[in-house]
Amino acid sequence: MPDSGIDLFDEFAVELTADGTPATPMVVVPLDAFGTETPDRIARTAERMSQALPLVVGVLRGPTTPGLTPLLQAATLTLTTDAAANSLPQAVVVDDIDAALDLLGAAVQHSPRAAVACGQLLRQTVRLPTVPALAAEAAVYSMLLGGNEFERWLAERGAARTVTPPEHALVRTHRDDDRLTITLNHPQRRNALSMRLREDLLEAVRLADLDPTLTAVEINGAGPVFSSGGDLDEFGTATDLVAAYLVRLDRAPWRIIDRIRDRVTVRAHGACIGAGAEVAAFAGTVIAAPDTYFAFPELRMGLVPGAGGTVSVPRRIGRWRAAWLMLTEQRLTAAAALEWGMVDAVEQTRS
């Protein structure tokens, strides 16, 4: 058997090109080759994997064995066809490993800078309390706003449309005794998280935070979807990236939702994309209608999730499956979300 260890590599480096683009943003490690290695060798390899700069994708074509757990733990994520690995948050069970690698590799090669940043960020946020973790995400997001991958996406998008905001409130609130219902109320824009809607949501959750007599808070969305994510026509309007960083921290409704999460239930339906999924994941309870799906398109834009998703989503499904979703933009159905823990129940939408 050839040498199976990570010692085959001089080091895990991204090998930057002259313009600062990672030449090796992803390294694939065949984990089956470690099946006969000693626990000490596996532990040393896992330590190197955990400190790698590129994304480290484990590939497991055989059965998952307990001895390989340190390697699964250290990787960015591990792809396997072993159905028994469904119970492991470190593993993503796929039908075809090679097809999954092609999908992942193409996404990473499209935005290698953002991909490496996302992988490193997910390793940090799971170790930090909420506010420092949000600060780390905001710093990375704001940095990428000045990058060439986001600039490319803006050019592909073309000129932003001028959108006339409606006269009605973008967030409705209704109190019934000790219950507060908060409704995202811009169905014409699929409840996109515009600056105005974000501010209205912030004021609504602040009300719940300041009033302890509100023992139950429900957040839902008007119209066919819960939220289609950030308002794409507002993307690229930030000119002061330091200010953008501070705004993402100071004006973040998700920071308040996390603080009162034990009182918060999100009722999701239809599309929960980007910020919509990220905000929902902060709630203590997430109930999804059967038509719900979650997706994270930020990497394609040269960005990472910026509405707290690198904090909230890993806390529900683990950083490994979060990495898979955030790197590939694959949809997570309501049924799969229940299996992974992204939601707590799947129920028909109440009339």
Side-chain angles (χ1 to χ4, degrees):
M1 177 183 294
D3 184 76
S4 59
I6 299 306
D7 297 339
L8 288 171
F9 302 93
D10 290 335
E11 62 176 326
F12 275 112
V14 292
E15 298 180 10
L16 297 177
T17 63
D19 67 351
T21 299
T24 53
M26 186 175 85
V27 175
V28 177
V29 180
L31 299 185
D32 300 275
F34 289 88
T36 58
E37 293 289 355
T38 65
D40 180 66
R41 178 69 180 280
I42 289 176
R44 286 188 287 114
T45 301
E47 177 66 17
R48 294 190 64 187
M49 289 170 62
S50 68
Q51 297 181 23
L53 294 180
L55 304 168
V56 180
V57 179
V59 169
L60 192 58
R61 297 182 186 274
T64 308
T65 60
L68 298 178
T69 298
L71 300 176
L72 273 66
Q73 191 79 16
T76 303
L77 61 96
T78 294
L79 298 172
T80 180
T81 56
D82 181 12
N86 265 324
S87 62
L88 302 175
Q90 302 93 341
V92 177
V93 179
V94 296
D95 294 329
D96 186 324
I97 288 176
D98 294 319
L101 282 174
D102 288 344
L103 174 69
L104 182 58
V108 170
Q109 285 298 330
H110 180 74
S111 301
R113 294 181 178 188
V116 170
C118 185
Q120 289 296 328
L121 182 60
L122 286 170
R123 290 184 181 275
Q124 295 176 47
T125 53
V126 293
R127 301 176 181 177
L128 296 171
T130 297
V131 173
L134 289 175
E137 179 187 277
V140 172
Y141 186 93
S142 300
M143 172 189 70
L144 291 171
L145 288 176
N148 61 5
E149 292 170 356
F150 181 59
E151 182 181 27
R152 176 192 62 202
W153 179 82
L154 286 176
E156 292 170 351
R157 180 200 65 178
R161 295 171 295 175
T162 300
V163 178
T164 302
E167 295 183 1
H168 65 74
L170 298 190
V171 172
R172 294 198 315 261
T173 58
H174 173 73
R175 179 165 186 165
D176 184 8
D177 294 330
D178 61 348
R179 302 181 63 87
L180 179 68
T181 300
I182 300 171
T183 301
L184 310 183
N185 188 36
H186 198 183
Q188 301 87 345
R189 297 282 288 172
R190 296 169 62 84
N191 296 324
L193 200 70
S194 62
M195 287 183 284
R196 181 178 154 195
L197 190 146
R198 182 198 66 206
E199 289 294 314
D200 289 354
L201 178 59
L202 176 60
E203 291 308 309
V205 296
R206 273 181 170 169
L207 172 64
D209 185 31
L210 294 171
D211 188 348
T213 66
L214 289 169
T215 60
V217 179
E218 179 179 302
I219 303 175
N220 57 42
V225 307
F226 176 72
S227 175
S228 61
D231 189 329
L232 299 187
D233 289 310
E234 292 184 353
F235 279 45
T237 57
T239 57
D240 184 335
L241 301 188
V242 177
Y245 162 75
L246 294 172
V247 167
R248 301 202 79 78
L249 282 179
D250 185 60
R251 311 304 296 173
W254 36 94
R255 176 167 53 88
I256 311 299
I257 295 171
D258 179 74
R259 189 156 65 217
I260 61 172
R261 66 187 315 274
D262 290 344
R263 293 188 276 154
V264 177
T265 296
V266 162
R267 286 192 172 270
H269 68 286
C272 291
I273 299 175
E278 299 168 55
V279 171
F282 275 110
T285 302
V286 180
I287 299 174
D291 69 340
T292 305
Y293 70 87
F294 302 87
F296 302 88
E298 291 88 354
L299 186 74
R300 175 168 43 86
M301 305 175 190
L303 300 172
V304 297
T310 64
V311 182
S312 62
V313 177
R315 291 180 180 178
R316 280 193 160 267
I317 67 174
R319 68 168 175 84
W320 307 271
R321 288 170 171 172
W324 169 253
L325 295 177
M326 293 173 186
L327 293 169
T328 64
E329 203 178 337
Q330 290 295 285
R331 290 186 177 186
L332 186 69
T333 65
L338 180 62
E339 185 176 13
W340 280 12
M342 185 71 175
V343 305
D344 302 291
V346 177
E347 299 178 359
Q348 289 289 345
T349 304
R350 295 182 304 188
S351 59

